[in-house]
Amino acid sequence: MPYDPSAFPPFAVTVDLVVLTVRRHSLCALAVRRGEPPFQGRWALPGGFVRADEDLAQAAARELAEETGLRVHDPAIPAQDNGAHLEQLATYGDPKRDPRMRVVSVAHLALAPDLPAPRAGGDASNARWAPVGELLQQDGYGRDGEPVAPLAFDHAQILSDGVERARSKIEYSSLATAFCPPEFTVGELRRVYEAVWGVALDPRNFHRKVTGTPGFLVPTGGTTTRQGGRPAQLFRAGGATLLNPPMLRPEV
Amino acid sequence: MPYDPSAFPPFAVTVDLVVLTVRRHSLCALAVRRGEPPFQGRWALPGGFVRADEDLAQAAARELAEETGLRVHDPAIPAQDNGAHLEQLATYGDPKRDPRMRVVSVAHLALAPDLPAPRAGGDASNARWAPVGELLQQDGYGRDGEPVAPLAFDHAQILSDGVERARSKIEYSSLATAFCPPEFTVGELRRVYEAVWGVALDPRNFHRKVTGTPGFLVPTGGTTTRQGGRPAQLFRAGGATLLNPPMLRPEV
DNA sequence: ATCATAGTCGTCTGCCTGACGATAAACACT
DNA sequence: AGTGTTTATCGTCAGGCAGACGACTATGAT
């Protein structure tokens, strides 16, 4: 049977990005303002069409670089923090998710250290880091007094899935270090866990756990006092990617 | 900017299925023989095009029913085993993964109890349950003496990802019960874990663990002796979906 | 000097797991 | 009936890890 183009319906394929970071003790996601219908003026996740000759991961990495300037961390170069973490999240293909046409979106999850202000085509007012709780709430007002409207399309669902993925993944992997700068202290890492999980952790037990897990942290020898208080040791992320036994998230 | 159809390249979107079951103490996947090029005559994962008005999950459920007759378990009807478990796995979109055209495949993972012989358009020789180790090995001969050829397309990668998902998911969820009939014994559940993980587990510690986890198993009151030996209590899957603390997979 | 802040080291207790002994209840033989 | 085999189930014990929390250290602020 020869190839028959009429045998299947054509789809548009996009990548959407859930880019998470930790700023001011809270988990934030990158949001961009839509400049055109549908959902004109509303906030949405960054994303765009996959090009004809592009792999899905390539497309996601390209969009991430366009929106944030971040390069993607290459796991082939271990023990070197050369960019953000990027992984596929899930794919969303409800026939009505985009009113214009049939669009299947392959969502990706990116984790990045705290960054300077985002850029979106050079226009800062069209991109921002927003606390995920603010982006997911249905109505009301944000911390800046701006009225909150739900995210465009099914992006609230996508963001929610991405946050849940991040929350569970830092339990059993060393991924929380992706939120930290190349060198960081145990306290900074703990504040990442606290922001992502939204709980307070015991500094002493946390310190024992992360320094006692082989391959999680590698001391660099330096110390810092940037957080105030007694100077803290600086660490880099070690080679271990899976934590066994995992970090335990306190029960609700 | 008005909607411009020429602004994006058209894709074909398919769903591919990794259908796993446990037969004769080994983890098996459903494979179908390709009747047409490319990869004519080779084994592949079942799958097909997503229709124009179909959600991705609907398409996967439809393909699953067409290939196996299984209906999908509806989590809205708890404590009742009314079909197989189905979840999205990952999406594969390398531009060259199908030599004919640009195809993005949304792979799904299905877990089913041991079934009678599969059907594929009524032709039994074109569908079979094969041990995953056999499907993933690169060359040699299967247990029936038939020469082994690698799976078509990137299906070896997809199958491998699906198996890995199943292996890790039964650690922290009650999903292993999806491999069991509606009523089962602790020993049968243990043999599921042993087959999926490929290890031997201590029957006494396993029994203590699963019966001691609240909500994992619900005794039905009946007993059976179908495995030989002392009669065993029968259980149904309980309402719990997440196991806390998880089942621990013995280290390699 | 005193206080506040943050980091680091210990101790203790309870829970869970892995290793493994012992008993129970069926079937297959002889 | 007796013996062996198989599978299920209950118990015991030691080691490891996590939660709770005390104590001490080293900095900056007042």
Side-chain angles (χ1 to χ4, degrees):
Chain A
M1 180 167 66
Y3 159 54
D4 173 12
S6 68
F8 65 92
F11 289 71
V13 175
T14 62
V15 290
D16 285 328
L17 293 179
V18 176
V19 190
L20 299 179
T21 193
V22 174
R23 328 188 79 195
R24 288 185 256 105
H25 288 208
S26 80
L27 182 64
C28 295
L30 183 60
V32 297
R33 197 192 294 275
R34 287 187 57 79
E36 61 222 60
F39 301 100
Q40 185 167 23
R42 295 265 285 279
W43 294 101
L45 299 177
F49 291 111
V50 177
R51 296 179 180 165
D53 56 351
E54 236 180 4
D55 192 5
L56 301 173
Q58 283 171 24
R62 173 178 54 77
E63 292 286 342
L64 180 64
E66 287 174 6
E67 301 285 347
T68 67
L70 282 169
R71 281 175 315 138
V72 171
H73 176 77
D74 183 353
I77 309 172
Q80 159 131 14
D81 193 337
N82 57 349
H85 170 85
L86 181 64
E87 67 178 45
Q88 197 186 104
L89 176 59
T91 300
Y92 301 82
D94 187 289
K96 297 196 175 60
R97 64 181 294 277
D98 187 319
R100 296 166 295 181
M101 55 185 166
R102 187 71 200 263
V103 179
V104 164
S105 174
V106 184
H108 286 69
L109 174 65
L111 309 183
D114 195 0
L115 297 170
R119 62 182 201 194
D123 185 349
S125 76
N126 286 336
R128 64 164 183 153
W129 293 108
V132 295
E134 200 170 296
L135 289 174
L136 290 176
Q137 80 187 45
Q138 291 304 306
D139 48 45
Y141 294 87
R143 67 153 54 205
D144 51 2
E146 185 188 15
V148 169
L151 287 172
F153 304 105
D154 51 2
H155 288 187
Q157 180 67 50
I158 298 177
L159 174 59
S160 171
D161 292 347
V163 168
E164 192 43 55
R165 169 82 63 97
R167 285 191 173 138
S168 66
K169 205 146 182 180
I170 65 174
E171 285 190 62
Y172 58 89
S173 79
S174 61
L175 222 56
T177 58
F179 287 113
C180 295
E183 295 201 346
F184 54 89
T185 69
V186 173
E188 289 165 349
L189 184 62
R190 175 169 49 81
R191 281 181 278 276
V192 165
Y193 275 90
E194 291 178 332
V196 176
W197 284 345
V199 297
L201 299 175
D202 185 294
R204 299 157 290 189
N205 293 336
F206 185 86
H207 188 276
R208 177 182 60 189
K209 173 67 178 175
V210 297
T211 58
T213 300
F216 193 4
L217 299 183
V218 177
T220 66
T223 62
T224 183
T225 179
R226 61 174 165 243
Q227 302 291 332
R230 170 175 165 179
Q233 257 189 290
L234 284 170
F235 295 87
R236 284 186 295 102
T241 56
L242 256 43
L243 304 184
N244 211 318
M247 288 285 305
L248 292 187
R249 167 157 42 160
E251 32 195 306
V252 207
Chain B
M1 180 167 66
Y3 159 54
D4 173 11
S6 69
F8 65 91
F11 289 70
V13 175
T14 62
V15 290
D16 285 327
L17 293 179
V18 177
V19 190
L20 299 180
T21 193
V22 174
R23 326 189 82 195
R24 287 186 253 107
H25 288 209
S26 81
L27 182 64
C28 294
L30 184 59
V32 298
R33 197 193 293 276
R34 285 187 58 77
E36 61 221 60
F39 301 101
Q40 186 168 22
R42 294 263 286 278
W43 293 101
L45 299 176
F49 291 111
V50 177
R51 296 180 181 164
D53 56 351
E54 236 180 4
D55 191 6
L56 300 174
Q58 283 170 24
R62 173 178 54 77
E63 292 286 342
L64 181 64
E66 288 175 4
E67 301 284 346
T68 67
L70 282 168
R71 281 175 315 138
V72 171
H73 177 78
D74 183 352
I77 310 172
Q80 161 132 11
D81 192 338
N82 58 348
H85 170 85
L86 181 63
E87 67 179 45
Q88 196 186 105
L89 177 59
T91 300
Y92 301 82
D94 187 291
K96 296 194 176 63
R97 63 180 295 277
D98 188 318
R100 295 166 295 182
M101 55 185 167
R102 187 71 199 264
V103 179
V104 165
S105 174
V106 184
H108 286 69
L109 174 65
L111 308 183
D114 195 0
L115 297 170
R119 64 182 199 192
D123 185 349
S125 75
N126 286 336
R128 63 165 184 153
W129 294 106
V132 295
E134 201 170 293
L135 289 173
L136 290 175
Q137 80 185 46
Q138 290 305 307
D139 48 45
Y141 294 87
R143 67 154 52 207
D144 51 2
E146 186 188 16
V148 170
L151 288 172
F153 304 107
D154 52 1
H155 288 187
Q157 179 67 50
I158 299 175
L159 174 59
S160 170
D161 291 348
V163 169
E164 193 42 57
R165 169 82 64 96
R167 284 190 175 138
S168 65
K169 205 145 183 181
I170 64 174
E171 285 189 62
Y172 58 88
S173 80
S174 62
L175 221 58
T177 58
F179 286 113
C180 295
E183 295 201 346
F184 54 90
T185 69
V186 173
E188 289 165 349
L189 184 62
R190 176 169 49 82
R191 280 181 278 278
V192 164
Y193 275 90
E194 291 178 332
V196 175
W197 284 346
V199 297
L201 299 175
D202 185 295
R204 296 157 292 189
N205 292 336
F206 183 86
H207 188 278
R208 177 182 59 191
K209 173 67 176 174
V210 297
T211 57
T213 300
F216 193 4
L217 299 182
V218 178
T220 65
T223 61
T224 183
T225 179
R226 61 173 165 244
Q227 302 291 332
R230 170 176 165 178
Q233 258 189 289
L234 284 170
F235 295 88
R236 283 186 296 102
T241 56
L242 256 43
L243 305 183
N244 212 320
M247 289 284 307
L248 291 187
R249 168 157 43 160
E251 31 195 303
V252 206

